[in-house]
Each structure stands twice: as structure tokens, then as C-alpha cells.
Amino acid sequence: SVFILVGLGSIGSKYAPDQPAGKHCFGCHIGESDLIQFSIMVLMVVVVGLYMLWQVRHEPDPLGIIRELRVCMYCGASAVLGVGFTLTDPGNLRRDGLFEWLWLVSFAILVFHTIQCPVQVWMTYGTVSNNSETITLHEILESRQGTAVFESYLATEFSAENLYMVEAVKKFKDKATDSRCSQAQVLQEAQKVYDTYIKEGTMLEVNL
């Protein structure tokens, strides 16, 4: 965002005085109320996006979706910053016709929509042709949301007990390696796994 602001600032300062309409003229004027409404809308999008990023902060991102969402949030913040500069006009650059701060907003929106549309299409074609980016079972089990989706799928296949056993074995291994757990507790957990998933005739017996 900082590089975008600096780059656009230098471009705007160079080319704004050469506009065909001349200084002090920027075509259709946008009122302050319109800019404030736009800022509120963008801020709402940014807040929702930041909440989503917080929820998936520990999730794997093999498709780069989280990275793209983060860039979009940067663009939204840059757009709000551009509106703020337009309203305050630091250095009176807009008033003197040296630079139009709304260019920052336009550029941020352009980058935002480029990431949301053409880049998504390009990434989709790239993912289809490159099977090396597929998510592994280990990555799914390490992801809270991935595990929930996988559990829903296994339920439709009437095999959710396989996932439950994996989670139970993981819990057993955690207790077995925990120095605070006694041998009796570890054996109790092992017996629980056997009685629930391995013993013949149990409701959640897995196919071994």
C-alpha cells in the first residue's frame, strides 16, 4: 500500500497540471457525502474481510485464496485512505490542481477487481492443469475447517467412524507422550479406542 501511494503520488504530481481541462477543474465533482458513504461501505467490507482472515489464520492456503483476500483488504484500506486525503487535501494539492487524490481510490478499486475476477479465472485454470497443488489428507486433518468439511463428506459415505478413530488415536498419542499422564490413564485411553472402534460388534467398528 505504501509503494502504491508513493508511486501514484509521483505520477499524479507529474501529469495532473497537464490535464486538458486545466488546473482547478476535475470534471464531475463528487460531494463529500458521497465519499463518506463510499468509505463506510468499504470499511464494512474491510471489517468482514479481516474477520474472515482471523478465522482462517491457521488454515493451509494451497490455492492462495487467503493471500488474495489479504491483498484485497490492503486495497480497501488504500481506498479509504484516498478518500480521507480527498476530504482533507493535505498540502492543498487537489485544490491547486497538482494531484487528484481520488486516483488512489480508482487504482485501489482496479486492483481489487483485478484480483477478484481475472486473477481468479487464471488461478482456476492453473490449478486444474497442475495437480501438484492438491490438498493432502494431512493438511485437511490439520485444518479445523477442513476436518469439518471432511467429516460431512464421510457422513454421506456412512464412514465417519474412520475420522473419529483417527482423532481418538491422536488423542491417545498425545496422552502417551504427556509426562503428566500416568500409565494407567494411557492404558485407559487405549482401551477406550479398542472398545469403541476395534472391538468386533461395536457401533463404530472400523474396517481394518
Side-chain angles (χ1 to χ4, degrees):
S1 297
V2 174
F3 288 112
I4 291 174
L5 293 176
V6 173
L8 288 177
S10 60
I11 294 173
S13 299
K14 180 178 180 181
Y15 292 106
D18 300 327
Q19 294 298 315
K23 293 185 177 181
H24 309 290
C25 182
F26 298 93
C28 299
H29 291 280
I30 301 178
E32 292 186 1
S33 60
D34 298 325
L35 293 174
I36 294 175
Q37 292 176 10
F38 173 78
S39 298
I40 294 175
M41 179 187 67
V42 175
L43 278 175
M44 292 174 61
V45 173
V46 170
V47 169
V48 173
L50 290 176
Y51 174 77
M52 294 171 59
L53 286 173
W54 176 259
Q55 291 294 316
V56 298
R57 63 190 184 280
H58 298 307
E59 301 295 329
D61 187 30
L63 301 180
I65 297 175
I66 298 177
R67 181 183 65 251
E68 293 167 9
L69 180 60
R70 189 179 295 114
V71 173
C72 287
M73 294 306 99
Y74 293 154
C75 292
S78 299
V80 174
L81 188 62
V83 172
F85 285 158
T86 301
L87 295 175
T88 58
D89 194 18
N92 297 323
L93 298 179
R94 187 168 189 259
R95 186 194 66 184
D96 297 337
L98 298 176
F99 181 69
E100 176 55 77
W101 294 108
L102 288 177
W103 290 355
L104 300 180
V105 181
S106 301
F107 184 79
I109 294 175
L110 175 63
V111 174
F112 182 92
H113 285 289
T114 301
I115 294 173
Q116 287 294 302
C117 300
V119 172
Q120 289 292 331
V121 174
W122 179 78
M123 289 289 293
T124 301
Y125 280 110
T127 302
V128 171
S129 61
N130 186 7
N131 294 327
S132 63
E133 294 186 3
T134 55
I135 303 176
T136 64
L137 179 60
H138 176 72
E139 290 176 322
I140 293 176
L141 296 179
E142 290 296 321
S143 165
R144 178 169 55 86
Q145 275 124 353
T147 302
V149 173
F150 188 47
E151 180 181 0
S152 300
Y153 167 76
L154 290 177
T156 63
E157 299 293 324
F158 303 102
S159 57
E161 66 276 2
N162 293 283
L163 176 61
Y164 300 151
M165 181 179 176
V166 170
E167 293 176 340
V169 171
K170 183 178 180 181
K171 183 178 179 181
F172 162 74
K173 292 175 64 177
D174 291 340
K175 282 194 173 184
T177 56
D178 190 349
S179 59
R180 295 171 297 179
C181 294
S182 63
Q183 186 176 4
Q185 290 176 312
V186 175
L187 292 176
Q188 182 181 6
E189 193 67 31
Q191 187 66 40
K192 182 178 178 182
V193 172
Y194 175 80
D195 292 340
T196 306
Y197 305 102
I198 302 177
K199 186 177 180 180
E200 186 176 356
T202 61
M203 183 178 297
L204 296 177
E205 180 184 1
V206 297
N207 186 8
L208 298 177

